[in-house]
């Protein structure tokens, strides 16, 4: 049985970018395929440590992120596995072995590393190395499909390269994930999804961005979210058009509207073609997003800690079994066993 796998860093509450770009596509795939695929939705808690975190907050965020998975509609059947990365030590083991396969040259090209380290006086090695840990997260489970936002495509390509290089050097151990072009097709989207920062639409929306008004969090009140949309940066061109290059702010609003309402982007774009009032577009998007949040927040209230622990117990037993078997193959291939 093939595996679909994804994880969202639990360093804070998720943004609507995480939700629309990764969580919702994953849940949709899980609903469609969990009859005949394994679906691994894990909490990459080791990845959380690349930003400074408070231990107590981390535990609370882990709990909340799993409640988000459930509230987003994750089907809870036997083929769906929810686990915490740090409860499966094989992840860190494999990371070291893959570190010895990855090269400084390819790691230096990672744009997420450049963005996350920009302007910082001191950068931890984890920020540089986390794409290798991520490659291990994928390869341990022989996952072929990894629904992620567009910002993570480069890391999927890295995982493919490391798997191929390892196999060439040590024998066929890893399943190589499909290319990002095929990932997009499998996810059923035209392109990779990248929701933009509301204040600086040239950048992607990120949960770790400091400015509150640049991002909408899944626990924002619907009113607060509406206000943030109303104050989003647009431009002075006065035409509602989808043009990410020249009008990223307006295009972002159209994109959010399409994903939240479930209407194809071209249809949303043609509905607004010829319109000029950005205020009207913002009101529509604000109302769609606040509607989505109020429904989501009702569902979150319904999931309980007991439900989460039950899922984790089952998921972590499965994950350790699969990951340890793959790690042993790797250890044998490189001569450690
Ligand atoms: P951080 O700032 O902590 O890196 P993040 O918002 O980038 O937070 P991640 O935990 O790095 O979130 O990523 C979780 C998932 O969400 C990944 O699949 C990533 O591609 C996706 N994602 C993150 N930001 C966006 C965005 N703006 N649009 C679409 N998908 C996104
Ligand atoms: Mg990120």
């Amino acid at each position: 049985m093939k595996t679909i796998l994804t994880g969202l860093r639990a360093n804070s509450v998720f943004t609507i970018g995480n939700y629309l770009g990764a969580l919702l596509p994953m849940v949709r795939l899980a609903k469609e395929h969990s009859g005949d695929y394994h679906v691994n939705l894990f909490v990459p808690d080791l990845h959380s440590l690349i930003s400074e975190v408070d231990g107590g907050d981390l535990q609370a965020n882990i709990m909340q992120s799993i409640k988000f998975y459930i509230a987003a509609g994750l089907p809870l059947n036997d083929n769906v596995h929810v686990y915490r990365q740090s409860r499966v030590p094989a992840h860190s083991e494999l990371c070291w072995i893959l570190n010895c396969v990855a090269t400084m040259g390819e790691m230096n090209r990672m744009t997420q590393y450049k963005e996350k380290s920009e302007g910082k006086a001191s950068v931890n090695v984890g920020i540089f190395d986390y794409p290798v840990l991520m490659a291990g997260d994928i390869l341990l489970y022989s996952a072929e499909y990894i629904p992620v936002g567009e910002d993570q495509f480069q890391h999927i390509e890295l995982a493919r390269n490391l798997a191929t290089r390892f196999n060439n050097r040590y024998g066929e151990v890893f399943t190589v994930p499909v290319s990002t072009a095929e990932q997009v097709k499998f996810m059923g989207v035209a392109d990779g999804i990248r929701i933009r920062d509301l204040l600086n639409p040239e950048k992607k929306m990120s949960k770790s961005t400091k400015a509150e008004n640049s991002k909408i969090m899944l626990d924002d009140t619907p009113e607060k979210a509406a206000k943030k949309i109303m104050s989003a940066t647009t431009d002075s061109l006065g035409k509602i058009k989808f043009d990410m290059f020249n009008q990223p702010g307006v295009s972002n609003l159209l994109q959010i509207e399409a994903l939240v309402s479930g209407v194809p982007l071209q249809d949303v774009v043609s509905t607004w073609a010829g319109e000029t009032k950005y205020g009207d577009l913002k009101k529509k998007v604000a109302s769609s997003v606040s509607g989505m949040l109020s429904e989501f927040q009702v569902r979150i209230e319904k999931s309980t800690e007991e439900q989460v622990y039950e899922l984790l117990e089952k998921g972590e037993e499965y994950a350790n079994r699969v990951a340890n078997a793959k790690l042993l193959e790797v250890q044998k291939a490189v001569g450690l066993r």
Side-chain angles (χ1 to χ4, degrees), residues 6-9 11 15 17-18 21-22 116 147-152 193-196 204-209:
T6 205
L8 296 96
R9 234 148 56 87
N11 49 326
T15 67
N18 304 135
K116 283 191 185 296
V148 285
E150 194 258 356
D151 60 299
Q152 294 297 324
I193 299 172
R194 171 180 286 246
I195 302 298
R196 307 300 179 112
K204 81 167 193 79
M205 184 182 287
S206 287
K207 56 178 137 62
S208 58
T209 304

Side-chain angles (χ1 to χ4, degrees), residues 53-69:
V53 286
D54 175 300
D57 287 354
L58 181 57
Q59 286 305 315
N61 285 331
I62 290 171
M63 176 53 70
Q64 192 175 28
S65 67
I66 300 169
K67 287 187 175 176
F68 284 149
Y69 297 171

Side-chain angles (χ1 to χ4, degrees), residues 226-261:
K227 274 206 194 115
K228 289 180 180 176
I229 303 255
M230 295 309 292
S231 63
T233 302
T234 47
D235 54 61
S236 52
L237 297 176
K239 55 180 179 196
I240 299 182
K241 204 177 148 207
F242 190 81
D243 176 351
M244 268 303 177
F245 190 71
N246 295 305
Q247 299 188 260
V250 170
S251 306
N252 191 35
L253 294 173
L254 290 166
Q255 167 85 278
I256 293 174
E257 174 62 18
L259 291 169
V260 170
S261 60

Side-chain angles (χ1 to χ4, degrees), residues 254-294:
L254 290 166
Q255 167 85 278
I256 293 174
E257 174 62 18
L259 291 169
V260 170
S261 60
V263 174
L265 180 62
Q266 307 91 289
D267 297 356
V268 173
V269 171
S270 47
T271 307
W272 288 91
E275 300 283 340
T276 57
K277 292 192 187 126
Y278 293 166
D280 290 350
L281 174 64
K282 285 180 171 180
K283 271 188 209 146
K284 177 72 179 76
V285 179
S287 132
S288 304
V289 170
S290 21
M292 173 189 87
L293 288 180
S294 32

